[in-house]
């Protein structure tokens, strides 16, 4: 792999410039992802939600491949913490929706994790 002192490792996909770190998991969020603002919500949280077959694919049964959105300009530790905090919050909201709770106020204030 090619390395640049400023950009980090230069890989085949420009979105992976820098650390190239993509922390991801498959998570089932049928209720939360049914919201019209789901994709915008994950974006505000510094996350990327992909369908079950990868980029630009649809979700199957509310299952999503969720990962950190950024790969450049942040440390590996920061990227992993964005991922952990974000996915944890998505799961908490899904559980709240399963219990019939309203999460609108919390979702409205959602943002990317910061140290």
């Amino acid at each position: 792999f090619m390395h640049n002192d400023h950009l980090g490792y230069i890989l085949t996909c420009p979105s992976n410039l820098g650390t190239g770190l993509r922390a991801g998991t498959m998570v089932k969020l049928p209720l939360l992802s049914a919201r019209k603002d789901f994709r915008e919500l994950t974006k505000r949280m510094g996350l990327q939600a992909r369908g079950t077959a990868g980029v630009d694919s649809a979700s199957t049964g509310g299952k999503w491949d969720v990962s950190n959105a950024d790969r450049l300009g942040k440390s590996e530790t920061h990227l992993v913490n964005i991922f952990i905090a974000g996915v944890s919050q998505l799961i908490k909201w899904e559980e709240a929706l399963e219990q019939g709770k309203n999460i609108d106020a919390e979702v409205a204030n959602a943002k990317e994790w910061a140290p």
Side-chain angles (χ1 to χ4, degrees):
F1 294 96
M2 191 171 173
H3 185 270
N4 176 285
D5 289 338
H6 177 71
L7 298 174
Y9 286 97
I10 301 173
L11 308 169
T12 57
C13 180
S15 69
N16 291 332
L17 276 175
T19 67
L21 181 89
R22 179 183 180 274
T25 188
M26 294 298 289
V27 63
K28 191 170 182 180
L29 305 166
L31 300 175
L32 185 61
S33 65
R35 294 175 56 102
K36 292 179 183 178
D37 63 349
F38 177 68
R39 294 278 186 140
E40 186 267 331
L41 168 64
T42 56
K43 188 174 184 178
R44 281 190 288 129
M45 295 175 74
L47 301 173
Q48 178 182 40
R50 299 177 178 185
T52 49
V55 178
D56 297 327
S57 69
S59 167
T60 305
K63 293 178 191 164
W64 294 88
D65 176 1
V66 178
S67 64
N68 54 298
D70 292 334
R71 315 282 197 269
L72 179 63
K74 295 177 179 146
S75 73
E76 290 89 347
T77 302
H78 193 144
L79 293 174
V80 170
N81 283 327
I82 289 169
F83 168 73
I84 292 169
V87 171
S88 176
Q89 185 60 63
L90 294 177
I91 292 168
K92 287 177 187 174
W93 284 330
E94 180 69 24
E95 290 171 343
L97 289 171
E98 288 172 353
Q99 297 169 9
K101 295 180 181 175
N102 185 312
I103 62 168
D104 290 344
E106 288 183 47
V107 167
N109 294 319
K111 58 186 177 187
E112 183 176 300
W113 175 89

